[in-house]
Amino acid sequence: MDRIRLATRSILIISLIVAAVAFLFSSPASRVLLPLFSQKHISFLTKNRFSSNLSSAQMATQKAPVYFFSHGGPNVQYDTDHPVYPILQNIGREITDKVKPKAVVVFSGHWEAKPDVIEVNSAEHTDLIYDFYGFPPEYYKATYPNRGSPELASKIIGLLTDAGIKAKGVTRGLDHGVWSGFNVAFHPKNNPLNVPLVQVSLFANQNVDMHYRLGQAVASLRDENIVIIGAGMSVHNLRDLFATQGDPRPLPYSVSFDEALKDAVESPPSERRARMKDIAKRPDARQAHPRFDHLMPVYVAAGASGDDAGKRTWTLHEGSMAWAQYRFGDVPSS
C-alpha cells in the first residue's frame, strides 16, 4: 500500500511540473524568458562552434615549413663538439615541438634514381644503408629506428605522376644522408620523430630546374602538415677535402658560393627560381660542387616552398665544405 501511495505522489508531482512548464511557455512571460534563455544558450553554442571553425580554418591555412639540412658525414652524430651539432638539435626540436608534423618526406643527396625517373621508398620497414668507406667499425653498426608509410608513398607517386614526372615505388634502406643528420636532429631517445618517414630520390642528372619542379610537384603535402626536408650540403667538395687533409680554413669558393646561394634563396619568391638557376652557372659552382648531388636537395626544398620566403638560419665555412641550414615558410607560434 505504501508503495502505491509513493508512486501516486511521484506521478502527481511530475504532472504539476509539466503543467507549470506548459503554462510558463504559453503565457506572456514566455515572450521575455524564452528569448533570454535562447539567446544565452544559442550564443554559447555559436561561439564555441565559431571558435572551432576558426581553429580549423587556421590549421587549414597553416602550411608546414620546408627545411634544408646540411647533414655532414657519418661522423656528425658522434662529433658532439662540432658547431653544427647543437644547430641540428635545435632544428629538430623546432620541428617536433612546434610544427608537430603528421609525417616527414626527405630528399637526400645520396639517392639518385634515373635521369628522368624518381623513385619513392614505399616500404614500411627498411634497413640502413652504410654508403661510405674508411670510417671506424662502429660507424657501420649505427642504428636509426624509423618506419615508412606505403600510403604516403603512394600519394607522392600520384602527385609526381599528375605533374608529368615518371615515378615508381621501390624498397630501399635509408642512406646516411638521412640517418646521420637525423640521429642528431631527431635523436631516438632525446627527441624521437615518432611519425612516418618516407625518402624520395633525386633525378640522376645535373638539371637544377628539374629538381625545382620536383619540389613543386610535392608542395601540396605541406597542406597536410607534412614536413619536406632536403638533405645535402651547401658546399661539398670531397676531392679538396682529401687534398687539404681536412684543413678547416675555408677555401675561397666555400665562402663565395655559399653566400651566393644565400642571396638567391632569400630573394623574393617571384625571383627565386630564376636566381637559383643562375647561380648554378657561376664559375665557382663546380668548385663548390664538382657534382650537384648535394646541391639538388636545396632546389627541391625551394620548389616545395611556393610563395613562402626562404631564410638561412645558420652556416659555417669549413675547408671545402659549407653547412648552411635553411627554412622556408613560418613556424607555428605554438
Side-chain angles (χ1 to χ4, degrees), residues 10-11 18 23 37 71 87 98 102 153 168 178 189 199 227 231 233 254 262 265 267 272 275 293 303 310 313 325 327:
S10 299
I11 293 172
V18 171
F23 172 76
F37 174 85
H71 62 70
I87 300 300
K98 295 183 178 180
K102 175 182 175 183
K168 66 177 183 177
V178 179
K189 292 183 179 179
Q199 184 174 359
V227 166
M233 292 289 289
S254 297
K262 173 184 181 292
V265 170
S267 63
R272 182 169 54 213
R275 295 273 300 270
D293 51 349
T313 58
Q325 313 293 330
R327 180 179 62 236

Tab-separated table of all heavy atoms in Angstrom, residues 10-11 18 23 37 71 87 98 102 153 168 178 189 199 227 231 233 254 262 265 267 272 275 293 303 310 313 325 327:
chain	number	residue	atom	x	y	z
A	10	SER	N	4.484	10.573	-6.672
A	10	SER	CA	5.511	10.934	-7.656
A	10	SER	C	4.881	11.358	-8.974
A	10	SER	O	5.286	12.337	-9.601
A	10	SER	CB	6.457	9.740	-7.895
A	10	SER	OG	7.112	9.400	-6.688
A	11	ILE	N	3.870	10.598	-9.406
A	11	ILE	CA	3.179	10.931	-10.659
A	11	ILE	C	2.515	12.291	-10.559
A	11	ILE	O	2.535	13.096	-11.502
A	11	ILE	CB	2.137	9.846	-10.989
A	11	ILE	CG1	2.855	8.526	-11.316
A	11	ILE	CG2	1.258	10.271	-12.158
A	11	ILE	CD1	1.918	7.351	-11.472
A	18	VAL	N	5.094	19.467	-15.149
A	18	VAL	CA	4.805	19.558	-16.577
A	18	VAL	C	3.788	20.651	-16.863
A	18	VAL	O	3.924	21.439	-17.798
A	18	VAL	CB	4.304	18.202	-17.117
A	18	VAL	CG1	3.795	18.353	-18.537
A	18	VAL	CG2	5.424	17.170	-17.058
A	23	PHE	N	2.430	26.057	-18.813
A	23	PHE	CA	1.829	27.369	-18.572
A	23	PHE	C	2.826	28.476	-18.820
A	23	PHE	O	2.529	29.500	-19.440
A	23	PHE	CB	1.310	27.442	-17.136
A	23	PHE	CG	0.857	28.828	-16.747
A	23	PHE	CD1	-0.366	29.349	-17.192
A	23	PHE	CD2	1.668	29.641	-15.959
A	23	PHE	CE1	-0.773	30.631	-16.834
A	23	PHE	CE2	1.257	30.913	-15.618
A	23	PHE	CZ	0.044	31.420	-16.049
A	37	PHE	N	16.590	32.860	-22.548
A	37	PHE	CA	17.126	31.513	-22.482
A	37	PHE	C	17.778	31.141	-23.819
A	37	PHE	O	18.902	30.654	-23.888
A	37	PHE	CB	15.993	30.532	-22.152
A	37	PHE	CG	16.432	29.077	-22.196
A	37	PHE	CD1	17.014	28.496	-21.090
A	37	PHE	CD2	16.263	28.333	-23.355
A	37	PHE	CE1	17.418	27.170	-21.135
A	37	PHE	CE2	16.671	27.018	-23.406
A	37	PHE	CZ	17.243	26.429	-22.289
A	71	HIS	N	73.848	18.077	-43.874
A	71	HIS	CA	73.813	16.945	-42.955
A	71	HIS	C	75.175	16.452	-42.483
A	71	HIS	O	75.281	15.729	-41.491
A	71	HIS	CB	73.049	15.780	-43.582
A	71	HIS	CG	73.674	15.235	-44.841
A	71	HIS	ND1	74.856	14.529	-44.850
A	71	HIS	CD2	73.266	15.285	-46.138
A	71	HIS	CE1	75.152	14.160	-46.087
A	71	HIS	NE2	74.205	14.614	-46.885
A	87	ILE	N	73.071	22.940	-33.513
A	87	ILE	CA	72.198	23.581	-34.505
A	87	ILE	C	71.172	22.582	-35.017
A	87	ILE	O	69.961	22.864	-35.060
A	87	ILE	CB	73.022	24.151	-35.672
A	87	ILE	CG1	74.021	25.204	-35.163
A	87	ILE	CG2	72.110	24.733	-36.737
A	87	ILE	CD1	73.395	26.404	-34.475
A	98	LYS	N	57.133	22.362	-32.272
A	98	LYS	CA	56.299	23.444	-32.780
A	98	LYS	C	55.508	23.053	-34.038
A	98	LYS	O	54.317	23.343	-34.135
A	98	LYS	CB	57.150	24.683	-33.067
A	98	LYS	CG	57.772	25.288	-31.809
A	98	LYS	CD	58.550	26.548	-32.129
A	98	LYS	CE	59.136	27.169	-30.871
A	98	LYS	NZ	59.904	28.412	-31.168
A	102	LYS	N	52.714	15.590	-39.306
A	102	LYS	CA	51.996	14.319	-39.493
A	102	LYS	C	52.947	13.263	-40.047
A	102	LYS	O	52.799	12.065	-39.782
A	102	LYS	CB	50.839	14.556	-40.465
A	102	LYS	CG	50.052	13.333	-40.865
A	102	LYS	CD	48.976	13.707	-41.872
A	102	LYS	CE	48.226	12.504	-42.407
A	102	LYS	NZ	47.220	12.902	-43.440
A	153	ALA	N	53.682	7.065	-49.512
A	153	ALA	CA	54.499	6.838	-50.702
A	153	ALA	C	53.617	6.790	-51.952
A	153	ALA	O	53.958	7.375	-52.995
A	153	ALA	CB	55.285	5.546	-50.557
A	168	LYS	N	58.048	5.727	-59.494
A	168	LYS	CA	57.680	4.368	-59.114
A	168	LYS	C	58.105	4.090	-57.683
A	168	LYS	O	59.042	4.702	-57.165
A	168	LYS	CB	58.313	3.348	-60.061
A	168	LYS	CG	59.834	3.276	-59.990
A	168	LYS	CD	60.368	2.181	-60.917
A	168	LYS	CE	61.882	2.048	-60.811
A	168	LYS	NZ	62.397	0.941	-61.668
A	178	VAL	N	70.431	10.745	-44.724
A	178	VAL	CA	69.253	10.917	-43.867
A	178	VAL	C	69.583	10.564	-42.429
A	178	VAL	O	69.480	11.398	-41.528
A	178	VAL	CB	68.072	10.049	-44.367
A	178	VAL	CG1	66.856	10.222	-43.456
A	178	VAL	CG2	67.712	10.404	-45.804
A	189	LYS	N	66.235	8.806	-28.592
A	189	LYS	CA	65.859	8.862	-27.181
A	189	LYS	C	65.495	10.269	-26.724
A	189	LYS	O	64.537	10.468	-25.992
A	189	LYS	CB	67.000	8.315	-26.319
A	189	LYS	CG	67.249	6.828	-26.486
A	189	LYS	CD	68.337	6.344	-25.539
A	189	LYS	CE	68.567	4.832	-25.688
A	189	LYS	NZ	69.654	4.359	-24.779
A	199	GLN	N	61.461	8.429	-47.772
A	199	GLN	CA	62.536	9.030	-48.566
A	199	GLN	C	62.196	8.947	-50.039
A	199	GLN	O	61.683	7.939	-50.524
A	199	GLN	CB	63.875	8.339	-48.308
A	199	GLN	CG	65.024	9.024	-49.051
A	199	GLN	CD	66.402	8.459	-48.709
A	199	GLN	OE1	66.520	7.549	-47.894
A	199	GLN	NE2	67.429	8.998	-49.338
A	227	VAL	N	56.098	17.642	-43.285
A	227	VAL	CA	57.328	18.421	-43.444
A	227	VAL	C	58.190	17.810	-44.543
A	227	VAL	O	58.414	16.597	-44.573
A	227	VAL	CB	58.109	18.473	-42.116
A	227	VAL	CG1	59.536	18.965	-42.337
A	227	VAL	CG2	57.411	19.386	-41.120
A	231	ALA	N	68.149	17.118	-47.808
A	231	ALA	CA	69.359	16.844	-47.028
A	231	ALA	C	70.559	16.767	-47.957
A	231	ALA	O	70.645	15.874	-48.803
A	231	ALA	CB	69.196	15.536	-46.244
A	233	MET	N	74.454	19.383	-48.722
A	233	MET	CA	75.434	20.329	-48.171
A	233	MET	C	75.409	21.561	-49.069
A	233	MET	O	75.290	21.433	-50.295
A	233	MET	CB	76.843	19.740	-48.149
A	233	MET	CG	77.058	18.591	-47.179
A	233	MET	SD	77.046	19.091	-45.430
A	233	MET	CE	78.592	20.002	-45.287
A	254	SER	N	84.207	28.139	-50.919
A	254	SER	CA	83.288	27.748	-49.849
A	254	SER	C	82.508	28.953	-49.343
A	254	SER	O	81.318	28.852	-49.018
A	254	SER	CB	84.054	27.103	-48.685
A	254	SER	OG	84.684	25.916	-49.094
A	262	LYS	N	72.863	31.858	-50.594
A	262	LYS	CA	72.006	32.562	-49.627
A	262	LYS	C	71.240	33.690	-50.309
A	262	LYS	O	70.014	33.838	-50.114
A	262	LYS	CB	72.853	33.142	-48.494
A	262	LYS	CG	72.078	34.039	-47.522
A	262	LYS	CD	73.018	34.648	-46.494
A	262	LYS	CE	72.249	35.531	-45.504
A	262	LYS	NZ	71.707	36.747	-46.140
A	265	VAL	N	68.456	32.147	-52.509
A	265	VAL	CA	67.373	31.523	-51.747
A	265	VAL	C	66.531	32.572	-51.035
A	265	VAL	O	65.304	32.447	-50.951
A	265	VAL	CB	67.943	30.500	-50.740
A	265	VAL	CG1	66.855	30.021	-49.780
A	265	VAL	CG2	68.538	29.304	-51.471
A	267	SER	N	66.038	35.631	-51.980
A	267	SER	CA	65.455	36.623	-52.885
A	267	SER	C	63.935	36.494	-52.865
A	267	SER	O	63.390	35.482	-52.406
A	267	SER	CB	65.992	36.418	-54.307
A	267	SER	OG	65.609	35.150	-54.810
A	272	ARG	N	63.010	33.898	-57.137
A	272	ARG	CA	63.901	32.880	-56.582
A	272	ARG	C	64.286	31.793	-57.589
A	272	ARG	O	65.457	31.415	-57.698
A	272	ARG	CB	63.261	32.253	-55.347
A	272	ARG	CG	64.126	31.209	-54.662
A	272	ARG	CD	63.552	30.844	-53.313
A	272	ARG	NE	62.157	30.424	-53.416
A	272	ARG	CZ	61.247	30.650	-52.463
A	272	ARG	NH1	61.580	31.302	-51.362
A	272	ARG	NH2	60.017	30.225	-52.608
A	275	ARG	N	66.826	33.102	-60.029
A	275	ARG	CA	68.086	33.416	-59.354
A	275	ARG	C	68.840	32.137	-58.998
A	275	ARG	O	70.074	32.067	-59.138
A	275	ARG	CB	67.814	34.238	-58.093
A	275	ARG	CG	67.208	35.632	-58.317
A	275	ARG	CD	68.272	36.678	-58.555
A	275	ARG	NE	69.212	36.815	-57.457
A	275	ARG	CZ	69.056	37.662	-56.413
A	275	ARG	NH1	67.966	38.418	-56.326
A	275	ARG	NH2	69.978	37.753	-55.502
A	293	ASP	N	74.968	16.611	-56.733
A	293	ASP	CA	74.094	15.742	-55.948
A	293	ASP	C	73.735	16.320	-54.580
A	293	ASP	O	72.591	16.219	-54.139
A	293	ASP	CB	74.709	14.346	-55.792
A	293	ASP	CG	76.143	14.369	-55.290
A	293	ASP	OD1	76.747	15.451	-55.247
A	293	ASP	OD2	76.672	13.282	-54.962
A	303	GLY	N	61.625	24.610	-54.372
A	303	GLY	CA	60.461	24.376	-55.215
A	303	GLY	C	59.220	24.071	-54.409
A	303	GLY	O	58.112	24.506	-54.747
A	310	GLY	N	62.360	32.165	-48.096
A	310	GLY	CA	63.424	31.304	-47.606
A	310	GLY	C	64.361	32.091	-46.705
A	310	GLY	O	64.594	33.287	-46.929
A	313	THR	N	69.232	30.025	-41.731
A	313	THR	CA	69.196	30.153	-40.272
A	313	THR	C	70.568	30.011	-39.636
A	313	THR	O	70.749	30.399	-38.481
A	313	THR	CB	68.247	29.112	-39.669
A	313	THR	OG1	68.673	27.790	-40.056
A	313	THR	CG2	66.818	29.339	-40.156
A	325	GLN	N	72.031	26.006	-43.242
A	325	GLN	CA	70.723	25.426	-42.902
A	325	GLN	C	69.662	26.433	-43.334
A	325	GLN	O	69.792	27.635	-43.068
A	325	GLN	CB	70.612	25.165	-41.392
A	325	GLN	CG	71.810	24.464	-40.768
A	325	GLN	CD	71.985	23.033	-41.227
A	325	GLN	OE1	71.011	22.347	-41.555
A	325	GLN	NE2	73.232	22.554	-41.265
A	327	ARG	N	65.331	27.383	-43.869
A	327	ARG	CA	63.914	27.122	-43.592
A	327	ARG	C	63.090	27.996	-44.531
A	327	ARG	O	63.379	29.177	-44.728
A	327	ARG	CB	63.551	27.449	-42.140
A	327	ARG	CG	62.064	27.174	-41.820
A	327	ARG	CD	61.733	27.478	-40.361
A	327	ARG	NE	61.947	28.872	-40.041
A	327	ARG	CZ	62.736	29.323	-39.070
A	327	ARG	NH1	63.414	28.488	-38.329
A	327	ARG	NH2	62.854	30.612	-38.853
